[in-house]
Amino acid sequence: MTSREEQVLERIDRARRRKARVREEHITMAHGAGGRATQTLIEAVFLDAFRNPLLEPLEDGAVIQVPAFTAPGGACARLAFTTDSYVVSPLFFPGGDIGDLAVNGTVNDLAVCGARPLYLSAGFVLEEGFPVEDLRRVAASMARAAAAAGVAIVTGDTKVVQRGKADGCYVTTAGVGLLDRDTRLGVARARPGDAVLVSGPIGEHGVTIMLARGELDIEADVTSDTAPLNGLITALLQATGAVRCLRDATRGGVATILNEIARASDVAVVVDEDAVPVRPDVRGACELLGIDPLYVACEGRVVVVVAGEAAEEALAALRGHPLGAGAAIIGRVAADPPSLVLLRTAFGGTRIVDVLVGDPLPRIC
């Protein structure tokens, strides 16, 4: 690198290591986009208030040791616990709706912890005037999704607010899963030489939601990829013990997940642009919207970091499952420059892929 490039990287590193501070006086839509503003809000407000060893890793769920129960072999049982809220607009869209999205999203957050999802809760905030028939559709969709994922919805809550104080229906789900194997996963476990994989084409859910709103004069045959990933992840973990990290690429897309890995592990993630699977209709819609597919949300794709020597084995395991048929190795982990994601472009150049800034795709989940 030239001295100028080194200076730029040093400035980026210094900026990222500053203590998180929310500069805005009021919440903006960017705070819910899953990018830089979201990370700052979480670290400066919630992590600062609730700080504890289980929360500090900021994974998709917490892994909890439960000494009151004995696992096979006499060890303490390990449970994964997660929660998520859903405010997607519109409520019904090609390929899914807020109901199956809520179930699948919580199942996936448990699965990427290495857990077997077992039980969910469901909380509903309903607006006065919301059609009961639509609520029945949402509930039926959740029931089907839970059955497909092999989980049970065992408790819940319902609140109603005045007309105009909400947007039809919001859903919050929480989930508990059991870690059957001694798997240790996390964004801080990536090492130089590791391979980075994605389980299929990216960006389908985010583009589907944007087009379903009918605000853009764009026609494309795109449907959401929302799906439960626990079966796919189980097949992967059974095939190889070399998996370092699993994350489902929702808000902020694959780019934001890779930045979280690079930052937590203090490594570089180098991605080959030509290797990233994107369907032509999704790529075309993104080009018209001026959005990079790497930042567009998925709801049925997992990003995998695995030891380099196990990359082909992991790829074969993913492709052997229906939800991983389009899996690909998209990059590698390197030592330098630490905490950065680099993209090798189709034109032979290299550029930095930073965390998402702003909110180009609001309320996609």
Side-chain angles (χ1 to χ4, degrees), residues 32 205 226:
H205 176 74
T226 176

Side-chain angles (χ1 to χ4, degrees), residues 23 52 56 83 111 139 147 175 181 209 214 257 326 328:
R23 300 179 183 276
N52 63 74
E56 283 180 339
T83 188
R181 56 178 64 83
I209 297 301
I257 296 298

